[in-house]
Amino acid sequence: MPVKLGREVLAALVTAGVCAAAVAEPVVADPPSTAYAEILPAPVSARADRGGFTIDRHTTISAGPGARGVADHLAGILRPSTGRPLPIVPAGRRGNTIALTMDGSDGPRERYRLDVNGRGVTITAGRADGLFAGVQTLRQLVHGHTVPAGNVTDAPRFAYRGAMLDVARHYFTVAQVERYIDELVQYKISVLHLHLTDDQGWRLMIDSWPRLAAVGGSTAVGGDPGGYYTQAQYRAIVEYAASRFMTVIPEIDMPGHVNAALAAYPELTCDGVAPPLYTGTGVGFSSLCVPKEITYQFLDDVIGELAALTPGPYLHIGGDEAHATSRADYVTFMNRVQGIVAAHGKRVQAWHQIAAATPLPGTVAQYWGTTNAEVAAATGVVLSPANLAYLDMKYNDRTPLGQDWAALIEVRDAYDWDPGTYLPDVPSSAVRGVEAPLWTENLRTPDELEYMAFPRLAAIAELGWSPASTHDWDAFKVRLAAQAPRWRAQGIDFYPSTQISWR
Ligand code: ACM
């Protein structure tokens, strides 16, 4: 290797009277890469060194015990992008390898360390979820065939870093949901909340009540095509997410937002008359019949099947906008349904209105207000303030898609708040994390989802992962700008906010 002279050395030679032209073919040293300052979400610490590692046709991926799945995931990304064969070999290989190593130590979940030097890349973690997080960081460091030298030490601020997709107002296929999962996990999103049911559609086959999907799933907003997931398809989504260390939290919204169910089964209404299927965008007009015993038999069946399909600990039971349910009925209902969820071995997540009932220990309230004054008195809180974290809100008054009832949300608005201190009456110890919901009343295609999610999803992802000490809009703008070439390569149709100097 020729010794490379840095700019500062050349400048010193010039200053010392040595003509720059006399220095034969000066090869300018690669300065430490800026790539380590562009990792998004920002890591706990990162340092760039000079030099780097080149992925060539002899490079291997070496995987220790338990790391094989992550190695397959990495190979699936790097083989097409580099054109290198990257065979996966057992641990122990030294030199010219990307080593995924489990060190067997405890410590925070998803913790990892990444080291890059001229001989290779090493990602070390206590568990496979940390290796996976480290792989997402590595993906952002690879440019062409090279990985700049340096190291990263990292762990998440919050375990819950969520994104919600409303597949009820518009139906999205399994492949479309899986594409969104892949877009999310690269920013270390750890929870996919699926809003499976609403007035306009019921999207999961419940074998004991098949008309829910067959009839209630036949519609979508505006007369667009309906659809539903068979249980096998739904399991495929859950497994696809799990293989990427993402937990699916399914939501069956109740006692309101149930017109599709009532249209399918008239016995669930108080008067026994089925309403027509609904394809508008109103809210707050439907309710399960709280005094009728069949309501709880129905919910026991639905929740039982859903619990059996759900490896994660939480089921989301909605509880928002129950304007067609009296307050007394609402409290009775939410308390009884929490018991049904518990009887099936699961814990409850619900929109923060559940605080009006008696949240069981372990119930998580998801805050979606806009005032930060409504207190969510639950043992855990997930923050999705509608005026900051709702990805379906327009960016500005010219945004062709989305809604504006909560706010116009530019990139800086989505980024510039602190989930740890946002609710004055909720201690930061009760904050489990953040979630970016994407409601689909007027979003119909994956392109439209991507335009609303990107770039703001990256802002919410960073609020969930990065230490509060890294919070800095000017630095975030640089990190975000660096994502644009990756989004273009992935075919993500993002909103090119003028707040950012895109690459
Ligand atoms: C909600 O936006 N109704 C939770």
Side-chain angles (χ1 to χ4, degrees), residues 320-321 351 368 390 439:
D320 58 321
E321 296 175 315
W351 300 106
W368 65 281
Y390 268 33
W439 301 97

Side-chain angles (χ1 to χ4, degrees), residues 403-479:
Q403 310 205 60
D404 61 5
W405 62 262
L408 300 171
I409 306 179
E410 249 297 351
V411 180
R412 185 167 189 164
D413 305 312
Y415 177 71
D416 254 345
W417 60 286
D418 179 4
T421 57
Y422 180 74
L423 291 176
D425 297 327
V426 172
S428 60
S429 60
V431 176
R432 298 172 49 82
V434 288
E435 185 179 296
L438 185 46
W439 301 97
T440 61
E441 279 93 336
N442 72 3
L443 306 177
R444 308 162 70 209
T445 67
D447 248 17
E448 293 176 352
L449 299 182
E450 289 164 7
Y451 185 79
M452 299 309 282
F454 290 88
R456 292 178 295 194
L457 184 277
I460 303 301
E462 175 148 322
L463 294 182
W465 179 278
S466 304
S469 59
T470 63
H471 194 95
D472 178 61
W473 167 246
D474 290 326
F476 178 73
K477 283 199 296 188
V478 175
R479 290 193 283 281

Side-chain angles (χ1 to χ4, degrees), residues 11 20 36 67 71 84 96 100 118 133 145 151 167 237 289 291-293 300 311-312 332 334 352 397 423 433 484:
Y36 284 83
R84 305 301 194 213
N96 201 0
L100 305 180
H145 295 117
N151 62 67
V167 295
I237 293 173
C289 187
K292 260 181 155 174
E293 209 43 41
D300 191 55
T332 303
M334 294 304 275
H352 71 267
D397 57 15
L423 291 176

Side-chain angles (χ1 to χ4, degrees), residues 319-352:
D320 58 321
E321 296 175 315
H323 308 317
T325 316
S326 74
R327 188 175 171 91
D329 274 358
Y330 180 85
V331 170
T332 303
F333 177 88
M334 294 304 275
N335 287 344
R336 189 156 171 192
V337 176
Q338 286 186 90
I340 296 173
V341 172
H344 288 285
K346 298 295 180 185
R347 280 179 246 159
V348 168
Q349 184 158 319
W351 300 106
H352 71 267

Side-chain angles (χ1 to χ4, degrees), residues 112-125:
Y112 71 92
R113 185 180 157 88
L114 179 146
D115 292 279
V116 184
N117 59 35
R119 293 182 307 284
V121 176
T122 307
I123 302 175
T124 313

